Amino acid sequence: MEDEQSFSDIYGGRLALQRRCYSPSCLEFCLSCPRITLRSLTAVTCTVWLAAYGLFTLCENSMILSAAIFITLLGLLGYLHFVKIDHETLLIIDSLGIQMTSSYASGKESTTFIEMGEVKDVVINEAIYMQKVIYYLCILLKDPVEPHGISQVVPLFQ
Amino acid sequence: MVLKAFFPTCCASADSGLLVGRWVPEQSSAVVLAVVHFPFIPIQVKELLAQVQQASQVGVTVLGTWCHRRQEPEESLGHFLEGLGAIFSHKPWFQLCRERGSKSWSCKATHWQGPTSHAASGEDQVMLIFYDQRKVLLSQLHPPAVLPDRQAGDTTASAGGLAAVFDTVARSEALFQSDRFDEGPVRLSHWQSEGVEASILVELAKWAAGPVCLLLACLLSLVSAASACRVFKLWPLSFIWSKLSTCEQLRHRLEQLTLIFSTRKAKNPAQLMRKANMLVSVLLDVALGLMLLSWLHRKDLIGQLADALIPVADHVAKELQHLLQWLMGAPAGLKMNRALDQVLGRFFLYHIHLWISYIHLMSPFIERILWHVGLSACLGLTVALSILSDIIALLTFHIYCFYVYGARLYCLKIHGLSSLWRLFRGKKWNVLRQRVDSCSYDLDQLFIGTLLFTILVFLLPTTALYYLVFTLLRLLVVTVQGLIHLLVDLINSLPLYSLGLRLCRPYRLAAGVKFRVLEHETGRPLRLLMQVSIACILPCSSKGLREPG
């Protein structure tokens, strides 16, 4: 059973939420983030290369241009591998736990699994970001030392 | 709660039989450890399970039946399997079924109300979770096996969730000793059915490790007892030992070796990892040291080094003399006080002269000393580097002395200046109250104080300049020594064993589990695959990875 809805994030990009129900005891939510646009990529590359060309005209050293190309390539690879998230999945298995998977634009996947026994509560938290208030979903974990305390707040969906 | 059945992936292709494992009632999950094949005698199966239970304190029982059918379902087998439920009573009774050659599984869990009612009175939804027995066994994600306050036979009921599953698999080693190709009364199928995993070298190493460890531990205790004797604690020797970094490094290595070869077993995986890391770093150290030694001997570098040492020392001394001549003139355009300049400059020049004579006196013995020092590289590259750092410290001892003289003079001057400045303003430092108080001085005290203050102020630039120059020189030497020590620390503390494990066997460094939903058809039970996820070295996300339980 699948369900798809579309929302927008705090920057105005388009998000798509997909909901799948495998069985009465297993649910999966998949959130897709907006892709990297050609316009932003071109803008960043042009800025970096114009700055490098300006430096080159000052210093007359052609190493600056090759260095700028390397920096652009490495920066792009690093951004795709470590920063840009393609989609995030939340898998909820009854009486077993909650699993969050983030897959990055380069294909890397990072998974976190939290057992049901550690989850204290799932809440919607407010945060002040720049000039507005945003809401985010997070899981409160139990503190192993103090039964009524909270040891960690884990936000979902970066 | 939903019933969960943890099924090993290696048994998915086994023939029909009985499911054997452990039932964890708090999680309402059944951990299947092995499959017993036909034909078997129920009494012998029960005996085997009792033996395993006694050996490993894990409550292993028969959980249900496993049926791996061919295309046409066999009715007689079905009834036979149901009849087995009467012999081995277990609540709930699992019946797992798979059609050969297809991916469709079916699973039923029934609660027996009595011998007559077969119907599904209390059939629950079951979730099948596949796990890789070998990886789970080796991944050490379970809580430590020995807890001092547990009695024998007491199951770890408080171990949460998945840790209980891992604990069960890890402690049931006794069950995995016989498999279906053995001639015994009971034939089992589990992860070692494909062939018992062992290696001759590892077994030999384990067998030989006992006596070797004992011998080395005795030797090391002798060495540490000798080094701890009273002779070395007398004042001049203990002062020298504490200053030389070589002794520090040797002591550190001795401690590490004692730890590695101690006859006590490691209590938990973290300690085992630490011991392994230390052993690998010691071995690497010795290997690098031997490589260095062979390189030095091949190129006969020791002789060249000894020949080059004296000219280098002379050159350094000459440079220092030039520096002092420059300071005695008008350095950087500053005008120095002529008399003080000459005094300090001549004093330091004489000191350099003494030092050079000393070096020339030592020159015949240099090569022999260097050769013996080079031998010490057998003990490891770190020891050789520490000796190098000590030699640099000894050779630049005169720079250290100059720094001390310059610093002392400067310090005295600053103290004098500050106290006379207070006198100038009419105040005094009260030692009892640790603060500045006002005080009325006599006229002659004020007069002499002001005079001295003026003299010190005008002599300040000279002393300050000498202090600055020698401090910079000393900083240079300290930087070089610091770099060498950094290299030594790096070799000492790099966890090479863990890095190697991360590359070759990543599941040993597991940091959690992850689940994947397998193909799902409506009407069939939900199937999940549990995989061990490895710890990643790079910080990949803000959440990080967590351990279960």
Side-chain angles (χ1 to χ4, degrees):
Chain A
M1 189 192 352
E2 294 198 20
D3 205 9
E4 177 140 0
Q5 283 172 305
S6 131
F7 301 93
S8 69
D9 68 5
I10 55 174
Y11 298 114
R14 192 175 161 272
L15 293 175
L17 177 71
Q18 207 186 27
R19 197 173 62 167
R20 286 179 77 170
C21 183
Y22 289 111
S23 87
S25 54
C26 182
L27 277 177
E28 189 183 40
F29 294 95
C30 184
L31 192 69
S32 319
C33 310
R35 303 290 171 97
I36 183 170
T37 58
L38 194 59
R39 195 194 308 178
S40 59
L41 186 63
T42 321
V44 170
T45 314
C46 284
T47 322
V48 171
W49 284 0
L50 275 175
Y53 192 69
L55 271 179
F56 170 67
T57 47
L58 281 176
C59 302
E60 302 293 334
N61 189 358
S62 65
M63 284 293 290
I64 295 181
L65 294 177
S66 2
I69 295 179
F70 271 129
I71 290 173
T72 318
L73 274 176
L74 287 175
L76 183 67
L77 282 176
Y79 177 69
L80 288 180
H81 193 70
F82 293 114
V83 176
K84 181 84 188 90
I85 295 185
D86 193 42
H87 63 266
E88 284 175 304
T89 315
L90 185 73
L91 182 70
I92 304 174
I93 308 171
D94 186 15
S95 78
L96 201 61
I98 305 180
Q99 172 171 290
M100 298 173 284
T101 313
S102 309
S103 16
Y104 292 85
S106 63
K108 176 174 95 155
E109 285 198 359
S110 97
T111 318
T112 315
F113 178 73
I114 302 178
E115 276 188 65
M116 216 40 119
E118 285 185 17
V119 172
K120 189 157 194 276
D121 205 357
V122 180
V123 296
I124 297 182
N125 217 355
E126 299 167 336
I128 299 181
Y129 182 72
M130 302 278 210
Q131 82 285 8
K132 51 188 174 188
V133 176
I134 54 171
Y135 303 94
Y136 60 96
L137 193 66
C138 60
I139 301 182
L140 299 177
L141 299 178
K142 287 189 191 149
D143 195 7
V145 174
E146 191 194 341
H148 295 292
I150 299 166
S151 81
Q152 219 183 1
V153 177
V154 181
L156 305 172
F157 301 126
Q158 288 179 10
Chain B
M1 268 207 250
V2 176
L3 279 181
K4 300 180 277 275
F6 288 85
F7 195 74
T9 45
C10 47
C11 294
S13 54
D15 290 329
S16 317
L18 281 182
L19 293 171
V20 158
R22 179 179 163 206
W23 165 251
V24 184
E26 300 87 25
Q27 322 288 331
S28 64
S29 51
V31 183
V32 175
L33 292 168
V35 173
V36 178
H37 294 294
F38 305 120
F40 58 82
I41 305 175
I43 302 288
Q44 285 174 338
V45 171
K46 286 189 185 173
E47 266 177 21
L48 176 71
L49 291 179
Q51 275 174 12
V52 169
Q53 191 156 353
Q54 204 172 20
S56 62
Q57 276 106 42
V58 173
V60 178
T61 57
V62 177
L63 292 171
T65 60
W66 159 244
C67 177
H68 194 184
R69 293 197 292 234
R70 314 207 184 272
Q71 300 295 33
E72 58 279 354
E74 295 162 2
E75 294 296 333
S76 54
L77 191 61
H79 285 302
F80 175 55
L81 288 176
E82 287 187 11
L84 283 174
I87 308 177
F88 301 101
S89 58
H90 180 77
K91 277 195 170 73
W93 183 251
F94 288 90
Q95 286 168 317
L96 280 162
C97 208
R98 181 188 170 191
E99 283 162 20
R100 201 176 277 273
S102 86
K103 287 215 175 124
S104 56
W105 292 61
S106 80
C107 182
K108 285 190 302 208
T110 50
H111 291 276
W112 288 103
Q113 301 296 340
T116 52
S117 59
H118 297 251
S121 53
E123 250 193 37
D124 301 319
Q125 273 293 328
V126 185
M127 207 156 52
L128 278 175
I129 303 177
F130 296 104
Y131 70 98
D132 188 344
Q133 263 186 337
R134 179 167 171 269
K135 294 215 171 116
V136 165
L137 189 68
L138 293 176
S139 73
Q140 293 162 351
L141 272 174
H142 51 85
V146 176
L147 294 165
D149 52 355
R150 299 233 171 253
Q151 279 99 22
D154 187 17
T155 52
T156 53
S158 63
L162 291 166
V165 174
F166 295 128
D167 196 32
T168 306
V169 175
R171 292 202 292 171
S172 323
E173 291 261 6
L175 190 63
F176 300 136
Q177 303 215 331
S178 68
D179 64 17
R180 70 171 168 212
F181 299 113
D182 283 346
E183 291 296 329
V186 178
R187 298 187 313 152
L188 296 169
S189 216
H190 45 77
W191 65 283
Q192 296 210 328
S193 309
E194 305 299 321
V196 177
E197 256 193 34
S199 137
I200 295 273
L201 290 172
V202 169
E203 295 299 317
L204 274 180
K206 278 195 201 160
W207 182 79
V212 167
C213 276
L214 207 57
L215 184 67
L216 283 169
C218 290
L219 277 176
L220 285 170
S221 61
L222 276 175
V223 172
S224 42
S227 70
C229 80
R230 300 295 295 268
V231 171
F232 294 120
K233 294 239 190 328
L234 296 177
W235 183 79
L237 280 176
S238 67
F239 180 71
I240 295 177
W241 287 160
S242 65
K243 287 290 175 215
L244 287 177
S245 63
T246 313
C247 303
E248 193 59 46
Q249 176 65 17
L250 281 172
R251 199 180 318 145
H252 182 67
R253 276 282 178 243
L254 195 66
E255 274 172 20
Q256 280 189 338
L257 283 173
T258 322
L259 189 64
I260 295 175
F261 291 119
S262 73
T263 45
R264 276 193 325 260
K265 273 194 158 312
K267 286 194 204 52
N268 55 10
Q271 274 195 0
L272 187 69
M273 203 69 82
R274 207 175 297 146
K275 273 173 103 164
N277 278 335
M278 272 195 246
L279 183 67
V280 171
S281 85
V282 166
L283 286 176
L284 181 75
D285 199 16
V286 169
L288 284 175
L290 288 174
M291 265 170 52
L292 181 72
L293 202 61
S294 74
W295 179 65
L296 283 178
H297 275 274
R298 198 166 354 124
K299 299 269 188 75
D300 192 26
L301 275 178
I302 295 195
Q304 290 177 3
L305 206 65
D307 288 337
L309 201 64
I310 304 293
V312 163
D314 275 343
H315 179 74
V316 168
K318 223 173 271 311
E319 289 301 317
L320 269 178
Q321 279 172 341
H322 282 158
L323 184 71
L324 283 169
Q325 301 283 3
W326 180 67
L327 280 177
M328 286 207 293
L334 294 169
K335 188 155 182 288
M336 315 290 284
N337 180 287
R338 178 77 39 164
L340 184 62
D341 229 351
Q342 299 282 344
V343 163
L344 285 176
R346 289 227 185 92
F347 174 63
F348 288 136
L349 277 172
Y350 182 61
H351 206 137
I352 294 178
H353 175 75
L354 273 180
W355 186 252
I356 289 300
S357 339
Y358 168 67
I359 296 270
H360 279 274
L361 204 68
M362 290 274 295
S363 59
F365 305 110
I366 294 273
E367 181 164 357
R368 192 56 62 88
I369 294 176
L370 273 182
W371 192 80
H372 284 287
V373 157
L375 266 188
S376 71
C378 287
L379 291 172
L381 186 67
T382 47
V383 176
L385 283 175
S386 320
I387 293 186
L388 181 69
S389 146
D390 285 337
I391 288 180
I392 291 181
L394 282 176
L395 282 181
T396 55
F397 191 62
H398 50 324
I399 295 184
Y400 177 62
C401 287
F402 290 170
Y403 163 72
V404 168
Y405 301 148
R408 278 268 158 252
L409 268 179
Y410 185 71
C411 194
L412 276 173
K413 187 180 276 287
I414 292 295
H415 276 162
L417 269 178
S418 55
S419 144
L420 288 172
W421 171 248
R422 274 182 235 123
L423 177 137
F424 205 60
R425 285 158 49 216
K427 300 209 184 291
K428 194 177 81 151
W429 175 253
N430 192 339
V431 181
L432 282 172
R433 297 270 185 117
Q434 298 286 317
R435 64 171 189 201
V436 178
D437 276 342
S438 63
C439 165
S440 60
Y441 290 99
D442 298 337
L443 193 62
D444 46 356
Q445 280 176 330
L446 276 177
F447 184 61
I448 295 182
T450 315
L451 212 61
L452 284 173
F453 177 73
T454 325
I455 293 174
L456 283 179
V457 162
F458 287 133
L459 289 179
L460 185 63
T462 315
T463 327
L465 195 69
Y466 273 93
Y467 174 64
L468 189 70
V469 167
F470 291 131
T471 309
L472 285 175
L473 277 176
R474 172 88 186 129
L475 268 180
L476 192 67
V477 171
V478 165
T479 312
V480 171
Q481 274 193 303
L483 283 173
I484 296 182
H485 285 161
L486 196 71
L487 195 60
V488 167
D489 281 338
L490 193 72
I491 299 182
N492 267 346
S493 59
L494 202 61
L496 288 166
Y497 182 68
S498 308
L499 279 177
L501 268 189
R502 170 77 173 84
L503 289 173
C504 305
R505 276 165 220 262
Y507 50 82
R508 291 288 295 268
L509 289 178
V513 289
K514 54 184 180 192
F515 288 87
R516 199 161 62 107
V517 181
L518 299 173
E519 279 176 18
H520 177 65
E521 302 156 27
T522 47
R524 299 283 185 181
L526 179 69
R527 298 181 305 147
L528 300 166
L529 177 66
M530 181 167 88
Q531 291 165 317
V532 175
S533 66
I534 52 182
C536 66
I537 293 180
L538 302 166
C540 48
S541 73
S542 58
K543 294 181 258 211
L545 292 164
R546 288 183 49 89
E547 286 185 29

